[in-house]
C-alpha cells in the first residue's frame, strides 16, 4: 500500500488513540446479527464502530456512501430519511439514528454495564472523531459501485487499525456489504506487531472468539483478514486485499 495512504490512516488512528482498539466483550451477544447502515469516513458512524469493537460485537455493514444507490433507499424506507449511522437490531425490533444514542443503546442492551466515562462526554467524542476523519479526506465517502457478491464477505478488523481502514473504505465505496468481525485487543502480547510476534514465537491467548477462530483457521492473527465465501479465498495484507477486491468486484 502507498506510504501516503497508510500514513494518513495512521494519523487517523493516532487522533483517536484510545478508541476502537481494546475490547471488553459484551456480557450478552445478540442472537441475530446487528445491521449497521454506515459510511466509513463519516465521523458519526466511526463512533458506533468504535463501540462495536469495544464491546466485541459483530455487525453486518451495509455501506451507504454518498451517491450510493444500493442500501441508501432501505434507510429512507425504514427510518424516513437518509442519515447515517442507522442501526437495525432484529433482536429487539429497535431501529435508530443518532450515533451517541446508538452507542448508549449498545452498552445498555449488550454490554449490560454503565456507559464508560469517555462516552458520557459524547460531544467530545464526536469532535475527536471529526478530527480523525479529516486526514482521509473523501476516501470511504463517495460511491464507486462494484458488483454485489452473492454471499457476504467477512472482514476481521478492529476500528482503529490503520491497515484495516483502507479496506473498509474500499468496501464502502464499492457498496459491498460485509460482516464486520471485530478483533479488538484483550491481551498485552497483541500490541506486539505480527512479524515481531512471529519472530519471538508469541501466540497471544485471546479471549475473543474471532481471534481464536482466525488463529485456528490460519495459524496466525493479523488484522485485516478478509474471507470471501464466494471464491473461498482468505487473505491477509491490506494491499493484497485491496487488489483482490478491485480484481474481483470492480463494477
Ligand atoms: N447527529 C447525527 C449526525 C449524523 C450525520 O449527520 N451523518 C451524515 C454523514 S457523516 C449524514 O447522514 N449525511 C447525509 C448523507 O450522507 O446523505 C449522529 O450523530 O448520528
Amino acid at each position: 500500500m502507498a506510504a501516503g495512504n497508510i500514513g494518513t490512516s495512521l494519523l487517523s488512528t493516532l487522533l483517536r488513540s484510545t478508541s476502537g482498539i481494546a475490547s471488553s466483550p459484551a456480557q450478552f451477544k445478540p442472537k441475530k446479527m446487528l445491521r449497521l447502515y454506515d459510511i466509513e469516513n463519516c465521523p458519526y458512524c466511526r463512533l458506533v464502530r468504535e463501540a462495536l469493537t469495544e464491546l466485541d460485537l459483530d455487525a453486518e455493514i451495509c455501506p451507504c456512501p454518498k451517491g450510493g444507490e444500493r442500501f441508501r433507499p432501505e434507510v429512507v424506507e425504514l427510518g424516513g430519511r437518509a442519515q447515517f449511522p442507522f442501526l437495525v437490531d432484529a433482536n429487539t425490533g429497535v431501529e435508530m439514528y443518532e450515533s451517541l444514542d446508538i452507542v448508549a443503546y449498545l452498552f445498555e442492551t449488550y454490554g449490560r454495564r454503565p456507559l464508560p466515562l469517555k462516552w458520557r462526554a459524547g460531544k467530545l467524542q464526536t469532535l475527536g472523531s471529526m478530527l480523525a476523519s479529516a486526514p482521509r479526506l473523501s476516501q470511504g465517502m463517495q460511491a464507486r459501485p462494484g458488483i454485489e457478491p452473492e454471499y457476504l464477505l467477512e472482514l476481521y478488523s478492529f476500528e482503529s487499525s490503520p491497515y484495516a481502514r483502507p479496506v473498509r473504505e474500499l468496501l464502502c465505496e464499492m457498496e459491498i456489504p460485509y460482516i464486520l468481525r471485530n478483533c479488538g485487543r484483550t491481551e498485552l502480547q497483541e500490541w506486539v506487531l505480527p512479524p515481531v510476534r512471529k519472530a519471538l514465537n508469541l501466540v497471544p491467548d485471546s479471549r475473543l472468539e474471532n481471534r481464536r477462530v482466525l488463529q485456528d483457521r490460519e495459524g496466525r492473527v493479523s488484522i485485516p483478514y478478509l474471507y470471501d465465501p464466494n471464491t473461498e479465498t482468505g487473505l491477509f495484507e491490506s494491499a493484497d486485499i485491496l487488489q483482490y477486491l478491485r480484481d474481483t468486484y470492480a463494477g
Side-chain angles (χ1 to χ4, degrees), residues 137-156:
L137 303 171
S138 64
Q139 280 154 291
M141 256 306 189
Q142 300 290 337
R144 286 187 291 148
I147 297 160
E148 188 172 358
E150 185 176 357
Y151 300 106
L152 288 176
L153 273 52
E154 296 181 36
L155 182 67
Y156 289 69

Side-chain angles (χ1 to χ4, degrees), residues 206-224:
S206 178
R207 282 193 282 141
L208 305 189
E209 194 188 332
N210 289 337
R211 281 184 178 258
R212 286 181 169 278
V213 166
L214 201 49
Q215 180 70 44
D216 289 349
R217 189 195 284 174
E218 294 287 351
R220 66 183 164 125
V221 175
S222 174
I223 304 299

Side-chain angles (χ1 to χ4, degrees), residues 39 41-45 47-48 64-67 72 81-86 97-102 123 126 141:
I39 305 173
N41 204 24
C42 161
Y44 306 101
C45 300
L47 296 177
V48 176
C64 296
K66 289 192 184 296
R72 279 185 166 244
R81 60 189 192 278
Q83 181 183 301
F84 309 93
F86 183 70
Y97 291 109
E98 289 303 325
S99 50
L100 295 174
D101 292 348
I102 297 174
K123 293 277 183 265
T126 305
M141 256 306 189

Side-chain angles (χ1 to χ4, degrees), residues 104-117:
Y105 168 80
L106 292 174
F107 272 91
E108 188 184 333
T109 312
Y110 297 108
R112 302 271 168 97
R113 58 182 188 253
L115 195 61
L117 206 58

Side-chain angles (χ1 to χ4, degrees), residues 5 20 26 45 147 157 183 201 205 212 239:
N5 194 7
C45 300
I147 297 160
S157 161
C183 293
N201 208 14
D205 188 19
R212 286 181 169 278

Side-chain angles (χ1 to χ4, degrees), residues 150-214:
E150 185 176 357
Y151 300 106
L152 288 176
L153 273 52
E154 296 181 36
L155 182 67
Y156 289 69
S157 161
F158 59 90
E159 179 53 31
S160 222
S161 160
Y163 298 100
R165 180 173 298 113
V167 175
R168 295 195 309 261
E169 286 170 351
L170 185 60
L171 288 166
C172 181
E173 290 171 8
M174 294 176 86
E175 297 184 277
I176 295 179
Y178 59 100
I179 298 175
L180 179 66
R181 298 237 177 257
N182 264 304
C183 293
R185 292 172 177 162
T186 59
E187 309 304 311
L188 210 56
Q189 290 183 348
E190 285 162 359
W191 294 82
V192 180
L193 290 176
V196 182
R197 230 185 272 166
K198 191 175 170 203
L200 299 177
N201 208 14
L202 294 177
V203 182
D205 188 19
S206 178
R207 282 193 282 141
L208 305 189
E209 194 188 332
N210 289 337
R211 281 184 178 258
R212 286 181 169 278
V213 166
L214 201 49

